[in-house]
Amino acid sequence: MLNKKRILLAEDEEHLLEAIKLNLELEGYKVSTAKNGKKALQLFKEERFNLVILDVMMPEIDGFVVAETIRLENTEVPIMFLTAKNTNEDKIAGLKKGADDYLTKPFNLEELILRVNNLVKRSLKGDDLKEFNSYKIGEKTIHFNSFELVNEDGSITALTKKETMLLKLLIERRNDAVSREQILETVWNYDVYPSTRTIDNFILTFRKYFEPDPKNPVYFHSIRGVGYKFTDNLH
């Protein structure tokens, strides 16, 4: 089969990983596998996929964090959770992390294949999934793909990749507090833990960029003992 559709499968139970991989390959998919979250993120950065299937409870980095990190970079690729975490709270948490589907173990193989086919078809159509490319704060516009901030006068401020990722995370969770742990996991992954002061400095920079009065912020707030919050009541 030419131009095989590509799937990233992350699952730490080896026998289950191999069984799912075999069945997906029999359906004509090309499957790349990972046994932990760190490897899954590495593969995602190196290759293009039509679908990502994630276990939740994985070594190194759990599936929820993997999904969040992927969503900061890519809002279009479908994500399916395949997990033993089967409470309603788990499902809601997974969907809030950006998943398109949530299938609990034990599962019916035929149902899995059906759901996979539907998600891949949708990814090819790109139907109503919109790329989260830009966001306006006041009179300034952030362009996430080009790492640029367009100011009121049309001049451009270059943003670093970390600044862009942190802005995107806070904006996607607008009006909700985001913990320092979530920021460290999704923006810095698990590789390097910056000090809390580092994140504070990013917030101070954002206030200089966007706040009419940086000493009395209306957009970027520090929540003592928790983390940070972006507030925007116009969106």
Side-chain angles (χ1 to χ4, degrees):
M1 180 178 176
L2 296 173
N3 298 320
K4 286 187 177 182
K5 306 302 175 286
R6 302 174 67 85
I7 294 176
L8 172 57
L9 172 62
E11 167 63 60
D12 67 329
E13 293 180 49
E14 188 159 358
H15 69 284
L16 187 56
L17 180 80
E18 292 303 325
I20 297 171
K21 180 176 186 283
L22 175 62
N23 281 277
L24 290 174
E25 287 174 342
L26 290 172
E27 290 291 311
Y29 294 108
K30 179 169 175 47
V31 184
S32 297
T33 60
K35 294 179 187 174
N36 62 66
K38 193 169 184 178
K39 178 66 174 176
L41 283 175
Q42 181 189 331
L43 287 172
F44 187 80
K45 287 172 182 173
E46 292 172 354
E47 303 175 36
R48 291 183 66 83
F49 294 99
N50 300 99
L51 174 64
V52 177
I53 303 174
L54 299 172
D55 186 16
V56 173
M57 295 178 285
M58 291 188 292
E60 303 269 2
I61 304 176
D62 72 48
F64 283 162
V65 174
V66 172
E68 281 185 309
T69 308
I70 287 173
R71 280 291 173 250
L72 285 175
E73 302 264 349
N74 185 316
T75 58
E76 290 192 347
V77 64
I79 296 175
M80 175 196 284
F81 281 118
L82 189 61
T83 174
K85 292 174 76 69
N86 59 6
T87 68
N88 285 333
E89 289 79 6
D90 291 326
K91 290 178 185 177
I92 290 166
L95 295 171
K96 279 185 174 179
K97 302 293 184 191
D100 300 274
D101 204 350
Y102 195 107
L103 185 60
T104 57
K105 301 172 185 174
F107 57 88
N108 178 287
L109 188 58
E110 199 173 335
E111 181 183 1
L112 170 66
I113 298 296
L114 187 63
R115 291 190 187 210
V116 164
N117 290 341
N118 287 339
L119 286 170
V120 170
K121 274 182 200 166
R122 202 170 87 192
S123 83
L124 296 174
K125 282 183 196 168
D127 51 18
D128 59 353
L129 293 173
K130 294 179 181 175
E131 183 64 55
F132 185 27
N133 284 333
S134 63
Y135 191 90
K136 192 168 185 180
I137 300 177
E139 296 303 313
K140 300 186 177 187
T141 304
I142 306 159
H143 292 281
F144 295 104
N145 289 346
S146 58
F147 306 116
E148 291 177 337
L149 172 63
V150 179
N151 300 301
E152 300 97 320
D153 60 1
S155 64
I156 293 174
T157 302
L159 300 171
T160 68
K161 186 173 183 182
K162 288 285 190 285
E163 283 177 337
T164 308
M165 290 177 75
L166 180 51
L167 280 168
K168 195 165 193 181
L169 174 62
L170 292 171
I171 289 168
E172 285 181 339
R173 305 285 188 82
R174 58 187 169 271
N175 304 321
D176 289 332
V178 181
S179 72
R180 289 185 184 87
E181 289 73 20
Q182 285 176 306
I183 290 171
L184 294 173
E185 288 169 355
T186 53
V187 178
W188 275 268
N189 294 329
Y190 276 90
D191 299 320
V192 180
Y193 270 161
S195 67
T196 298
R197 190 71 204 150
T198 302
I199 306 175
D200 286 339
N201 288 336
F202 273 73
I203 300 298
L204 290 172
T205 300
F206 295 161
R207 287 174 182 162
K208 287 176 189 171
Y209 287 159
F210 300 104
E211 302 285 2
D213 178 3
K215 291 184 179 177
N216 294 289
V218 293
Y219 296 116
F220 293 93
H221 309 274
S222 298
I223 311 297
R224 188 179 293 278
V226 179
Y228 309 86
K229 180 167 74 170
F230 169 72
T231 303
D232 186 356
N233 294 320
L234 297 179
H235 285 77

